[in-house]
Amino acid sequence: AQSVSQHNHHVILSEAASLELGCNYSYGGTVNLFWYVQYPGQHLQLLLKYFSGDPLVKGIKGFEAEFIKSKFSFNLRKPSVQWSDTAEYFCAVTDSGYALNFGKGTSLLVTP
Amino acid sequence: DSGVTQTPKHLITATGQRVTLRCSPRSGDLSVYWYQQSLDQGLQFLIHYYNGEERAKGNILERFSAQQFPDLHSELNLSSLELGDSALYFCASSVQGANYGYTFGSGTRLTVV
């Protein structure tokens, strides 16, 4: 089964700073890629997803992610973070369609 | 509210006991997935059911079992509980498979003492 690596476990940013969270996966075939967000005390919510086509995908709340096949990466970006973006962010991948494999998550703290 | 309902929200039980976690999928979704979330292991896929049939197994212990009923709700049974089973257990649902992502429930926090 493929694995998913999120390199940054904890990130602290000031409001208005730019964000980039790294995600790499191990599988070389066709994959579907996702970013989920978990706000404190809430369930995981889908931020964005990539299936095919334009490698730059836009999601909710101003987030976007770029799929770079040659690097097996799907990094999440946001040009200017807000305090309300404080949350845990999870990258996930599926190749089989049976289940998503998740990375261990990145905890983002945005300070005023 | 995501539409996926999990009960109970919190559960405290003693080692050696057995508990049942319940999940009702979003209306129209036929697939149910169970995950365990812990600080050290992250989100671990346990098992997937589609329309009452088991479709895929992940890192599910033999002490754990699940089923999906005709009304599509699912139950995760955890037995001979150990301290290390303390975790958040999430249920997620989708129309069919995982290719388009899932909708998650709010989870059941299990504490084994």
Side-chain angles (χ1 to χ4, degrees):
Chain A
Q2 75 284 87
S3 63
V4 181
S5 298
Q6 292 183 240
H7 316 296
N8 318 102
H9 297 294
H10 299 279
V11 173
I12 302 175
L13 294 173
S14 300
E15 276 192 339
S18 64
L19 170 72
E20 180 159 4
L21 301 182
C23 173
N24 287 89
Y25 60 94
S26 63
Y27 186 66
T30 301
V31 293
N32 292 345
L33 298 155
F34 305 82
W35 276 97
Y36 278 82
V37 61
Q38 186 177 26
Y39 298 104
Q42 295 189 25
H43 60 275
L44 281 87
Q45 301 172 44
L46 183 63
L47 266 182
L48 48 79
K49 55 194 175 189
Y50 173 79
F51 303 139
S52 62
D54 187 346
L56 185 62
V57 293
K58 295 192 183 300
I60 61 172
K61 305 187 181 189
F63 286 91
E64 64 180 30
E66 185 176 14
F67 170 55
I68 304 180
K69 190 173 182 179
S70 60
K71 294 184 178 180
F72 299 90
S73 71
F74 189 56
N75 292 353
L76 181 70
R77 299 196 292 247
K78 186 171 184 178
S80 175
V81 294
Q82 301 172 325
W83 176 81
S84 58
D85 293 324
T86 293
E88 189 97 14
Y89 292 82
F90 294 91
C91 181
V93 60
T94 183
D95 62 340
S96 66
Y98 283 121
L100 297 185
N101 283 322
F102 285 85
K104 290 200 171 182
T106 297
S107 176
L108 172 65
L109 174 62
V110 180
T111 60
Chain B
D1 182 10
S2 66
V4 179
T5 304
Q6 288 189 249
T7 56
K9 291 196 184 306
H10 303 276
L11 198 49
I12 301 175
T13 191
T15 54
Q17 295 298 304
R18 172 190 168 96
V19 297
T20 297
L21 313 184
R22 183 186 168 104
C23 169
S24 294
R26 200 177 52 164
S27 177
D29 287 354
L30 299 178
S31 273
V32 169
Y33 306 82
W34 286 98
Y35 281 79
Q36 180 193 60
Q37 185 182 34
S38 61
L39 280 174
D40 54 341
Q41 296 294 322
L43 268 164
Q44 295 286 309
F45 167 64
L46 296 179
I47 199 163
H48 167 211
Y49 275 84
Y50 173 75
N51 203 21
E53 292 187 5
E54 181 186 305
R55 281 297 178 92
K57 264 186 175 179
N59 299 321
I60 189 166
L61 300 172
E62 284 192 12
R63 301 183 285 109
F64 296 0
S65 65
Q67 52 185 326
Q68 186 180 27
F69 294 87
D71 67 353
L72 301 177
H73 91 271
S74 178
E75 293 180 356
L76 179 67
N77 300 297
L78 316 176
S79 61
S80 303
L81 284 167
E82 303 174 358
L83 296 177
D85 298 326
S86 296
L88 256 174
Y89 291 83
F90 283 106
C91 168
S93 73
S94 69
V95 172
Q96 189 172 7
N99 281 330
Y100 297 97
Y102 322 134
T103 301
F104 278 87
S106 297
T108 293
R109 181 170 293 281
L110 174 66
T111 303
V112 183
V113 297

